[in-house]
């Protein structure tokens, strides 16, 4: 872990902004796209870059904006990694979001988010809060292989249930689905049924498969060699060096997702889910003539 002073914290414009308080990750997920060389890491991925001035930058940025909107975090680096236990930068940023009447859409795989459920509840009452949780496999033994340094799927579902009890809407990222590993009807059905049981608002899936590019591919294939002997050769034969690796069962699994979501009343497309996450209640969407 090393500390830097960032020049800015928010990216995006208009109706929503994104921020990453950390760069890198310690969860160890074998498929992580953020390891890809295109993101130009100049330090080892597990050597977390901490934007120590993130709260100060965020406070300055939010005070300069007349139009209230949603602030997203967690797209590139999980805001509840191990270092957050002591650094508490995510909590400090949530406090600033609350003080300035903005909304938040926060994405994680970690049950550490429960530490901040008091702030998340307050933000949801004053503006809007959406908690996003990634679920990839219902089998907890397999989960320990795919995502070794973060809580298992059963625990994440318990987190989703706690959010429901506190009136906080949730979205589940059902991705990636790894060909020949977790791309089964039983896995998808079990996850979706649990999502419906705990009141998940919607499911994000961009296609049943995963993406691999330079940096990410090598890490993933090394993990396959450790945990799934000879499967790397199956991948190379099936996909070569392709960026998109759809499951051979992709069509059937997408049909299953759409059917279950329709039956259970959950949003089932990325567009629907992002539209829900980006919208604030009407009273916060009024724009002053002085807004930029």
């Amino acid at each position: 872990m090393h500390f830097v002073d960032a020049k800015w914290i928010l990216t995006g414009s208009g109706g929503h902004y994104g921020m990453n308080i950390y760069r890198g990750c310690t969860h160890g997920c074998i498929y992580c796209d953020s390891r890809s060389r295109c993101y130009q890491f100049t330090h080892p991925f597990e050597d977390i870059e901490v934007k120590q001035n993130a709260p100060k930058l965020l406070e300055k940025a939010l005070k300069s904006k007349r139009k209230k909107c949603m602030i997203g975090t967690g797209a590139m680096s999980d805001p509840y990694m191990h270092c957050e236990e002591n650094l508490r930068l995510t909590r400090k940023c949530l406090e600033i979001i609350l003080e300035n009447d903005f909304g938040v859409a926060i994405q994680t795989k970690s049950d550490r988010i429960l530490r901040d459920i008091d702030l998340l509840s307050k933000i949801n009452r004053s503006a809007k809060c959406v908690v996003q949780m990634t679920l990839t496999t219902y089998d907890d033994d397999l989960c320990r292989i795919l995502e070794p340094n973060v809580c298992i799927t059963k625990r994440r579902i318990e987190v989703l249930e706690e959010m429901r009890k506190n009136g906080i809407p949730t979205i589940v990222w059902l991705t990636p689905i790894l060909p020949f590993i977790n791309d089964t009807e039983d896995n998808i059905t079990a996850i979706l049924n649990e999502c419906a049981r705990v009141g998940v608002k919607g499911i994000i899936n961009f296609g049943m498969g995963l993406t691999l590019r330079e940096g990410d591919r090598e890490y993933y294939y090394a993990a396959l060699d450790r945990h799934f002997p000879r499967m790397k050769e199956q991948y190379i034969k099936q996909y070569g060096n392709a960026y998109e690796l759809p499951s051979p069962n992709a069509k059937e699994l997408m049909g299953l997702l759409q059917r279950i979501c329709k039956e259970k009343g959950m949003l089932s497309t990325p567009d629907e889910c992002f539209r829900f996450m980006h919208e604030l209640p009407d009273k916060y969407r009024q724009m002053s003539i002085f807004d930029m």
Side-chain angles (χ1 to χ4, degrees), residues 10-62:
L10 293 184
T11 59
S13 61
H16 61 277
Y17 294 88
M19 68 174 179
N20 284 293
I21 300 166
Y22 304 107
R23 281 194 90 216
C25 191
T26 53
H27 288 341
C29 303
I30 70 171
Y31 51 73
C32 181
D33 177 72
S34 293
R35 291 181 179 273
S36 300
R37 295 208 177 113
C38 64
Y39 298 117
Q40 300 179 338
F41 274 82
T42 57
H43 55 85
F45 192 70
E46 287 79 12
D47 178 15
I48 305 303
E49 181 179 287
V50 179
K51 299 177 184 178
Q52 59 187 351
N53 60 336
K56 182 178 179 180
L57 290 174
L58 181 62
E59 185 169 26
K60 181 179 179 181
L62 296 189

Side-chain angles (χ1 to χ4, degrees), residues 30-287:
I30 70 171
Y31 51 73
C32 181
D33 177 72
S34 293
R35 291 181 179 273
S36 300
R37 295 208 177 113
C38 64
Y39 298 117
Q40 300 179 338
F41 274 82
T42 57
H43 55 85
F45 192 70
E46 287 79 12
D47 178 15
I48 305 303
E49 181 179 287
V50 179
K51 299 177 184 178
Q52 59 187 351
N53 60 336
K56 182 178 179 180
L57 290 174
L58 181 62
E59 185 169 26
K60 181 179 179 181
L62 296 189
K63 287 186 181 303
S64 71
K65 299 186 184 304
R66 296 178 183 272
K67 182 183 177 183
K68 307 300 182 182
C69 64
M70 296 292 288
I71 307 297
T73 190
M76 287 294 295
S77 292
D78 198 306
Y80 288 103
M81 288 181 290
H82 304 79
C83 58
E84 171 62 19
E85 289 185 11
N86 295 321
L87 296 177
R88 300 170 69 89
L89 290 178
T90 296
R91 183 170 180 86
K92 291 175 184 175
C93 288
L94 290 175
E95 289 171 344
I96 292 166
I97 288 171
L98 175 63
E99 290 168 3
N100 288 274
D101 294 320
F102 280 75
V104 68
I106 189 165
Q107 183 177 349
T108 186
K109 289 188 178 95
S110 175
D111 59 353
R112 293 185 187 91
I113 194 172
L114 290 175
R115 180 201 66 186
D116 294 339
I117 199 166
D118 59 331
L119 284 175
L120 299 173
S121 297
K122 290 177 181 177
I123 293 171
N124 195 46
R125 289 194 296 269
S126 66
K128 181 179 178 179
C129 173
V130 183
V131 168
Q132 305 161 71
M133 186 68 71
T134 299
L135 304 178
T136 61
T137 178
Y138 190 70
D139 183 328
D140 283 335
D141 290 332
L142 180 58
C143 179
R144 291 184 179 96
I145 294 173
L146 304 185
E147 301 149 348
N149 302 326
V150 68
C151 64
I152 57 175
T153 299
K154 180 180 179 180
R155 178 58 173 158
R156 293 181 222 172
I157 292 171
E158 290 173 351
V159 171
L160 292 168
E161 190 165 23
E162 283 301 308
M163 295 301 162
R164 178 185 60 79
K165 291 177 181 177
N166 283 269
I168 299 170
T170 56
I171 295 287
V172 161
W173 290 71
L174 182 59
T175 182
I177 300 302
L178 310 179
F180 318 120
I181 295 177
N182 63 345
D183 59 337
T184 67
E185 290 192 6
D186 286 347
N187 181 50
I188 301 303
T189 300
I191 292 174
L192 292 176
N193 283 341
E194 282 294 273
C195 288
R197 182 182 67 82
V198 298
V200 168
K201 178 74 174 180
I203 307 294
I204 292 177
N205 180 280
F206 292 99
M208 296 289 177
L210 83 157
T211 59
L212 292 178
R213 45 189 163 191
E214 191 178 5
D216 175 22
R217 180 181 288 107
E218 291 84 351
Y219 189 85
Y220 182 66
Y221 280 173
L224 292 187
D225 282 340
R226 290 195 306 273
H227 301 292
F228 306 96
R230 295 178 296 280
M231 187 171 288
K232 178 178 73 175
E233 288 70 26
Q234 187 175 0
Y235 267 72
I236 293 171
K237 181 179 180 180
Q238 179 88 8
Y239 302 108
N241 285 324
Y243 169 62
E244 295 184 356
L245 286 68
S247 164
N249 308 318
K251 183 177 180 180
E252 292 78 10
L253 295 178
M254 284 302 296
L256 180 65
L257 183 152
Q258 295 290 337
R259 178 175 61 78
I260 294 178
C261 285
K262 183 176 181 180
E263 290 175 355
K264 305 294 187 179
M266 296 185 291
L267 303 177
S268 61
T269 69
D271 285 347
E272 290 175 321
C273 292
F274 285 122
R275 191 178 306 118
F276 170 74
M277 287 192 288
H278 293 163
E279 288 181 349
L280 273 178
D282 286 343
K283 65 178 179 177
Y284 293 102
R285 291 193 285 114
Q286 301 303 318
M287 183 182 294

